[in-house]
Amino acid sequence: MTEKLGPNERHNLLVRTEFQRALVWVAVVGGAALVWLLAQPLLLILAGAVLATMLDGGTRLLGRVLPIGRGWRLSIILIAAVGFMAWVVMFAGSQLAGQAAELQRVLLVQIERGLAWARDHGFAELNFDPQQALDYVAGSVGQVTAAVGSVLGGLTSLLMIFVLGIFLAMEPRLYERGFAWLLPVRERSHFYVVTDAMGYTLRRLMAGRLLGMLVEGVATWILLGIYGIPMAALLGIITGLLVFIPNVGAIISGVLMVLVGFSVGVEGGLYALAVYFVVQTIDGYVIVPMVAKRTVDLAPALVLGAQLLFGALFGIMGLALADPIVAMIKVALEKNAERTARRIDAETINSEEAKASAIEV
């Protein structure tokens, strides 16, 4: 009597096919779970890669005017960056620390005034503690950044990002070849094409971001200082830093600017509002178009949606890295679509040539 193949027999084509499909889904779910569990180190690595992209972009740009070795150019960029941060800490650190404490006091007072005005105009049940709300916002940094919530943890994470960025910027091709070695030989050429396109896009995206940070920060500082708005230096630095987070950062900096302006008076608040619109107009109609035409074109709604998603899942770090992540994903999808289109065109041409040869025969 001949035994029939059972459901556990992998030589059965149907069983083997379904088993392979099940393995794919298990691998997808397991990969997603692994990414979630390792979200914090992965985001730190990604932040280091973004920093390395900025350092690499500065090194390449310096090479156009200073024909010396790459190592020397990278050293000049690093010395300039560290020198600037040291200058900020040494010459403006105490002033900025005092302004930061004053900013919190002004925000509490202005929020209390806003709540009182709202209650006087029919919102009697609108009642909450502004201090508690500020503490919640400051502490809600998400699951990923919960481990670095302390000052020491935050400084340690920044140091790790800085060191990782330096190593990646020193020898980017070394790490690129290392990742390519993990792939099949037939996929390596496409991998190099994709990584080159990602690097090109990120360098220009980050260059535009740094230019926007510089322009908005300095312009806000100067314009608010001309009118005598309190904490102009701190507001300029905050505005410049928040430019790194598109859409959301502009809203936060605008709210802070207007609240501090109204602490001086109605005219001060209106002036701060005017400064905000002028600075955002320059960034939106001059800097962003100048950079966007040379980088990947990201829809604002797509970026905002990614920021909401990554911010909810991974906190402030996910919010800051949402834009580069979306840009890299879009570049990868575009290059994959181009390769697929070339493959289809090649198959079509070969098919037509085969038909023509058959007709001639």
Side-chain angles (χ1 to χ4, degrees), residues 197 200-202 204-205 209 284 287-304 323-324 326-334:
Y200 178 88
T201 299
L202 279 182
R204 277 140 185 86
L205 186 66
R209 200 62 49 79
I287 298 176
V288 172
M290 180 177 64
V291 177
K293 66 181 181 181
R294 301 192 63 183
T295 59
V296 61
D297 187 16
L298 298 176
L302 176 63
V303 176
L304 183 58
D323 196 22
V326 172
M328 287 190 292
I329 291 175
K330 186 174 182 181
V331 169
L333 293 176
E334 288 177 347

Side-chain angles (χ1 to χ4, degrees), residues 252-265:
I252 297 174
S253 64
V255 171
L256 294 177
M257 199 183 306
V258 172
L259 287 176
V260 174
F262 275 107
S263 68
V264 178

Side-chain angles (χ1 to χ4, degrees), residues 13 32 66 85 92 107 114 144 183 192 217 227 233 259 279 293 319 355:
L13 179 61
L66 196 60
M85 291 187 290
L107 290 179
V144 172
L183 301 174
Y192 288 132
Y227 190 83
L259 287 176
V279 171
K293 66 181 181 181
L319 182 65
K355 290 181 181 179

Side-chain angles (χ1 to χ4, degrees), residues 8-66:
N8 293 325
E9 179 57 61
R10 294 185 183 179
H11 294 292
N12 186 296
L13 179 61
L14 178 61
V15 173
R16 187 167 64 248
T17 302
E18 295 300 325
F19 182 74
Q20 291 174 348
R21 290 179 179 178
L23 283 180
V24 170
W25 283 108
V26 170
V28 170
V29 175
L34 187 63
V35 169
W36 174 257
L37 292 174
L38 300 177
Q40 179 184 340
L42 288 176
L43 285 179
L44 289 177
I45 294 173
L46 182 59
V50 172
L51 176 60
T53 301
M54 292 188 284
L55 294 175
D56 181 59
T59 303
R60 291 169 181 260
L61 183 63
L62 188 60
R64 297 182 179 181
V65 296
L66 196 60

Side-chain angles (χ1 to χ4, degrees), residues 92-361:
S94 59
Q95 179 184 0
L96 293 177
Q99 290 186 4
E102 179 67 15
L103 177 62
Q104 183 178 6
R105 187 191 66 80
V106 170
L107 290 179
L108 290 173
V109 172
Q110 293 301 99
I111 294 175
E112 285 285 5
R113 290 180 179 177
L115 292 174
W117 180 87
R119 286 192 289 265
D120 292 339
H121 289 78
F123 296 91
E125 297 182 357
L126 188 59
N127 187 20
F128 67 93
D129 185 5
Q131 180 64 55
Q132 184 178 2
L134 288 178
D135 292 340
Y136 175 79
V137 172
S140 61
V141 292
Q143 176 185 3
V144 172
T145 52
V148 294
S150 64
V151 175
L152 180 60
L155 293 176
T156 303
S157 297
L158 290 177
L159 180 61
M160 292 173 59
I161 293 172
F162 188 70
V163 173
L164 182 61
I166 293 176
F167 281 126
L168 292 176
M170 289 174 60
E171 292 289 342
R173 293 297 180 185
L174 175 64
Y175 302 100
E176 185 181 31
R177 291 193 299 268
F179 277 107
W181 180 79
L182 300 174
L183 301 174
V185 176
R186 65 179 182 276
E187 296 292 334
R188 293 179 186 178
S189 59
H190 178 66
F191 172 78
Y192 288 132
V193 171
V194 173
T195 53
D196 287 342
M198 285 182 176
Y200 178 88
T201 299
L202 279 182
R203 284 195 300 272
R204 277 140 185 86
L205 186 66
M206 292 299 103
R209 200 62 49 79
L210 290 175
L211 179 61
M213 292 170 67
L214 177 64
V215 172
E216 289 198 29
V218 174
T220 301
W221 187 345
I222 294 175
L223 292 176
L224 293 180
I226 291 175
Y227 190 83
I229 300 295
M231 296 162 285
L234 180 62
L235 289 173
I237 293 177
I238 291 176
T239 300
L241 292 176
L242 288 176
V243 173
F244 194 84
I245 308 176
N247 303 323
V248 177
I251 297 174
I252 297 174
S253 64
V255 171
L256 294 177
M257 199 183 306
V258 172
L259 287 176
V260 174
F262 275 107
S263 68
V264 178
V266 177
E267 294 182 358
L270 295 177
Y271 178 82
L273 185 62
V275 169
Y276 170 75
F277 280 113
V278 168
V279 171
Q280 293 302 317
T281 300
I282 294 174
D283 181 67
Y285 288 94
V286 178
I287 298 176
V288 172
M290 180 177 64
V291 177
K293 66 181 181 181
R294 301 192 63 183
T295 59
V296 61
D297 187 16
L298 298 176
L302 176 63
V303 176
L304 183 58
Q307 288 175 335
L308 294 175
L309 177 62
F310 284 98
L313 292 176
F314 308 123
I316 190 66
M317 191 177 298
L319 182 65
L321 295 176
D323 196 22
I325 291 174
V326 172
M328 287 190 292
I329 291 175
K330 186 174 182 181
V331 169
L333 293 176
E334 288 177 347
K335 292 302 177 183
N336 187 64
E338 291 175 2
R339 183 176 68 163
T340 303
R342 288 194 300 267
R343 183 181 299 170
I344 293 175
D345 292 340
E347 292 176 354
T348 303
I349 293 174
N350 294 334
S351 177
E352 291 178 353
E353 291 177 352
K355 290 181 181 179
S357 299
I359 293 175
E360 291 178 358
V361 174

Side-chain angles (χ1 to χ4, degrees), residues 76-88 162 166:
I76 293 174
I77 297 296
L78 289 173
I79 291 172
V82 173
F84 174 76
M85 291 187 290
W87 175 83
V88 171
F162 188 70
I166 293 176

